[in-house]
Amino acid sequence: MSNNTFTFIDLFSGIGGFRIACEGLGGKCLGFSEIDSKAISAYKDNFETDNELEIGDITKAKESPYADILLGGVPCQSWSIAGRMKGFEDPRGKLWLDTINYTKQAQPKAF
């Protein structure tokens, strides 16, 4: 990564908190994944996304362009007291498996 330049895909993007940090370090976003319509709207208002892949629901992702880094955080509710600590019994807990599959397909340098 010369000149601190790298590419990334923003998984579970929310409204773009991780993106702000990565762009501040010289990163270029190639795509983002989010399912909440209000978060997607805010994300698109906050960032220029016209030339980026809108992945949508990671459980249905068909494309995974190569990026140096996949970033994001799987929703934590299923692992917390607030989510009754259901883990993999909660559909959100199974998103780890989809994230692992997406990572295998994308083959980034880092996740």
Side-chain angles (χ1 to χ4, degrees):
M1 290 186 275
S2 63
N3 298 325
N4 233 11
T5 303
F6 59 93
T7 57
F8 66 91
I9 295 175
D10 195 1
L11 301 177
F12 309 100
S13 60
I15 61 170
F18 284 140
R19 180 179 178 142
I20 291 169
C22 282
E23 286 183 340
L25 294 170
K28 176 178 174 44
C29 186
L30 301 180
F32 63 98
S33 171
E34 178 56 56
I35 63 167
D36 183 273
S37 61
K38 290 181 182 178
I40 293 168
S41 179
Y43 194 91
K44 289 180 173 183
D45 286 344
N46 290 332
F47 306 103
E48 178 58 49
T49 62
D50 290 342
N51 294 320
E52 297 173 7
L53 177 62
E54 186 173 344
I55 298 162
D57 184 343
I58 194 168
T59 67
K60 299 174 183 161
K62 300 289 186 228
E63 294 181 67
S64 61
Y66 175 80
D68 297 313
I69 300 172
L70 293 182
L71 62 98
V74 174
C76 64
Q77 294 91 334
S78 59
W79 307 100
S80 71
I81 294 170
R84 296 180 178 82
M85 300 182 69
K86 292 183 178 180
F88 286 115
E89 293 176 20
D90 181 324
R92 296 169 294 192
K94 293 178 182 162
L95 290 171
W96 274 111
L97 304 174
D98 296 297
T99 303
I100 291 166
N101 288 334
Y102 192 86
T103 303
K104 285 179 182 177
Q105 182 181 9
Q107 295 289 307
K109 292 178 184 174
F111 169 75

